[in-house]
Amino acid sequence: MVPLFETDPAMLSAMLDSVFAQTWPHWELCLCDDASARTDTAQALATRISARLAEQDSGFEAGKVRLVRHATNTGIVGTSNDALALASGDWIVLLDHDDTLAPHALAALAQALEREPEARLLYSDEDKLDESGLRCLPYFKPDYSPALLATQNYIGHLLALRADLMRALGGFREGTDGSQDYDLVLRASEATRAIVHVPQVLYHWRLHAGSTAINTDSKPYAHEAGRLALAAHLQRRYPDHFERVDDGEHLFTYQPRFRLPARCLASIIIPTKDKADLLEACLRSILTLSTWPDFEVLILDNNSTEPATFEWFERIQREDPRVRVLPAAVPFNWSRLNNLGVRQARGDVFVFLNNDTEIISPDWLEQLMQWARLPDVATVGAQLRYGDGSLQHAGVVVGMGGWADHVFKAEAPAHLPGPFVSNVLTRNVMASTGACVAISRTAFDALGGWDEAFEICGSDVEIGIRAHKRGLQNVYLATVRLYHHESKTRSSFVPEVDFIQSDLKYAPYRLGLDPFFNANLSREHSSPTPRYPESA
């Protein structure tokens, strides 16, 4: 299904040839030209179709291509709907007039449907065609990620929907010109969860001056149309929580905001042993920067011995009644300490925090709680940075490095094209580090708390996996930022029991099956790196 308007003849011919070259034979091409004034566009269209019909033994039938022309210009939504009206197939595949398909694109979709016959929406990985027609900038996407979709239209191309779903949605919606595909996907995600990602590069998106692929300023009206479409979607999806959609830090990105009740208590739970200087920096950043006033801080004193630590405990509790120090005279077990803290906490949302962190984002509590209180969300992690500003945590990939690791570790936070999602965009993850993670009381109780079979590390990943298996989201919230002075409190030693528990409880995702990464990316590098030739 291709809407046309003033298409460059060479690009139009390349698009048509990519359809004609499909190895899967069962297709029809539905074109609607929106009153193009260029005579060379119409001539190129007629020439390429006629040439294809004239080829001997091509098996090409005239009825494979259906074309309608508008007498006057109606815009992209009307043109797309009129192309849709020509369709008689079971599936609708969207193709832009200046892009191309991989020769096996339709065959790959058909194979995916054999594996996932209940699927109602399919999308694939993609790359770009530079101005010389050479492929570049592959983009390997995660499986369906509603948090990322609420931040950016990452699904993009190739996009296919069952025809009955497409028509039940009423096709493309008036008033969404420029973001009509985004609006369509958002509405489809409300109608079905049978959304299947095909991890192959099946679509080649052309870079040229008029496309958003190379010039994001070429269609500024589309950004606002996308924001309005997202706001309408979130209002329907979370009617009791949705507040507004703010513009993101970059064009075509967004930041959803959700309502909090006037009284919503955050319980910040911090295990510690001595190191009063680190804890002092952490607490001062919370007390002086946080714009949400309704919080309590529970410091779990796990066998401190230094007199200066106890002096500081007494002083900070006198200074601010929101701070409580709770003795926890038990052998160190990160999960047990945090479970003990929960038993003393009064909050609606628990924020588990390391004592070697410092707040950067003043509204960190509001943001964490807004997402954590959503009914389908379990854990909400933050962007953590080293002291030099590089990334310490931007989400956990299970299976990375053999067990689990932080993707983008030591990279600069930057919104740049790359083989995976931008590291400064909110997205779904399998897990976030326990150094800063929020969980609502409701979700924490439903999950049963932290798994105390882990002693030092691994239970943060395990609770994320447990939540995912129960159909809950885990979210990396990139707009919440803290410093994390990693491993300055305790050694990096990991006991054997944590490896044993990880082996038992990370399955099957540890075997390269983390749905929020991509099978075409290496698990041996924390920086997203394509695995060639598998990803070719």
Side-chain angles (χ1 to χ4, degrees), residues 212-411:
T212 54
I214 194 171
N215 179 12
T216 56
D217 292 326
S218 64
K219 298 179 181 177
Y221 65 90
H223 172 90
E224 178 63 10
R227 190 188 66 80
L228 294 174
L230 177 59
H233 161 70
L234 293 173
Q235 179 62 59
R236 293 188 297 266
R237 183 170 179 178
Y238 299 114
D240 297 330
H241 298 269
F242 175 70
E243 182 174 314
R244 68 182 189 273
V245 173
D246 291 338
D247 290 332
E249 295 177 343
H250 306 277
L251 199 64
F252 296 113
T253 70
Y254 308 100
Q255 185 179 1
R257 303 304 297 253
F258 303 99
R259 285 190 296 272
L260 288 175
R263 297 291 298 174
C264 187
L265 180 65
S267 293
I268 304 169
I269 300 171
I270 308 175
T272 194
K273 179 181 180 181
D274 292 317
K275 304 291 184 181
D277 54 338
L278 283 176
L279 188 57
E280 164 83 11
C282 176
L283 259 290
R284 291 300 175 197
S285 72
I286 294 171
L287 298 175
T288 60
L289 294 179
S290 298
T291 52
W292 185 260
D294 198 12
F295 65 84
E296 62 176 1
V297 180
L298 281 65
I299 298 172
L300 298 169
D301 173 26
N302 186 219
N303 302 312
S304 294
T305 59
E306 297 174 1
T309 300
F310 295 107
E311 292 174 8
W312 186 85
F313 285 163
E314 291 182 10
R315 184 170 69 253
I316 195 65
Q317 290 179 96
R318 287 195 306 268
E319 289 181 14
D320 198 312
R322 294 174 295 183
V323 180
R324 287 187 285 155
V325 177
L326 306 175
V330 296
F332 179 76
N333 177 302
W334 187 90
S335 300
R336 184 177 302 130
L337 287 170
N338 282 292
N339 284 338
L340 287 172
V342 165
R343 290 172 200 159
Q344 300 294 319
R346 300 187 293 259
D348 307 288
V349 176
F350 308 131
V351 180
F352 302 95
L353 193 65
N354 274 21
N355 63 354
D356 55 356
T357 57
E358 291 182 64
I359 309 307
I360 299 173
S361 307
D363 65 344
W364 71 296
L365 283 177
E366 296 99 303
Q367 291 198 56
L368 289 172
M369 292 195 294
Q370 284 173 11
W371 280 87
R373 291 181 69 254
L374 296 180
D376 57 349
V377 169
T379 69
V380 184
Q383 182 189 107
L384 304 183
R385 299 182 180 184
Y386 292 111
D388 65 2
S390 64
L391 292 170
Q392 190 271 337
H393 172 265
V396 170
V397 173
V398 181
M400 182 169 280
W403 296 96
D405 203 355
H406 300 178
V407 66
F408 299 114
K409 187 167 59 179
E411 293 190 20

Side-chain angles (χ1 to χ4, degrees), residues 78 81 98 121 153 171 191 250 270 318 360 391 431 437 458-459 478 513:
N81 280 331
D98 47 6
L121 185 153
N153 181 18
H250 306 277
I270 308 175
R318 287 195 306 268
I360 299 173
L391 292 170
V437 64
S459 61
L513 298 175

Side-chain angles (χ1 to χ4, degrees), residues 95-109:
L95 174 60
D96 285 352
H97 64 165
D98 47 6
D99 299 336
T100 64
L101 300 177
H104 64 294
L106 299 183
L109 297 184

